[in-house]
Amino acid sequence: MSVKDLKEGIEEGRVLFGIKQALKLGKKAKGVFIAKDTRDSTVEKLEGAGIEFDVLKSKAELTKELNLDFSAEVFCLK
C-alpha cells in the first residue's frame, strides 16, 4: 500500500483521518498509514491496540501529495 492507494481511497471516500478514527475501526481497517514524523504517543496508542501500520512520508509531504487543506498523521483505509 502506498500514497497512490490513499489518493484513490480519498477519491472514493474510503479514508478516515486521525488516531481516533483508526482506533475506532481497529483491525477491520484494510490499511493504516502514519507519517514518518508522527508523534511517539500516537505510535504507542496504535501499537497498544495491536494495529499494524505502514510508515509513509512526512506530514508536509503527504499533505501536499494528497492535496489536503489540513495536516494529518494517521490515515485509515476502510
Side-chain angles (χ1 to χ4, degrees), residues 1 32-38 43 53-57 62:
M1 297 252 178
V32 176
F33 306 92
I34 64 170
K36 69 180 178 184
D37 53 351
T38 299
V43 174
F53 53 85
D54 293 328
V55 179
L56 300 175
K57 301 175 180 187
L62 288 171

Side-chain angles (χ1 to χ4, degrees), residues 55-69:
V55 179
L56 300 175
K57 301 175 180 187
S58 71
K59 287 184 265 189
E61 291 172 318
L62 288 171
T63 299
K64 184 177 180 180
E65 282 193 45
L66 297 174
N67 197 27
L68 300 174
D69 57 356

Side-chain angles (χ1 to χ4, degrees), residues 15-63:
V15 174
L16 301 174
F17 301 93
I19 183 70
K20 288 183 181 180
Q21 297 299 323
L23 291 173
K24 199 180 292 185
L25 194 55
K27 295 182 180 180
K28 295 177 187 175
K30 292 185 180 176
V32 176
F33 306 92
I34 64 170
K36 69 180 178 184
D37 53 351
T38 299
R39 293 172 284 174
D40 292 337
S41 60
T42 301
V43 174
E44 290 169 4
K45 287 178 185 177
L46 289 171
E47 289 173 341
I51 298 174
E52 294 183 20
F53 53 85
D54 293 328
V55 179
L56 300 175
K57 301 175 180 187
S58 71
K59 287 184 265 189
E61 291 172 318
L62 288 171
T63 299

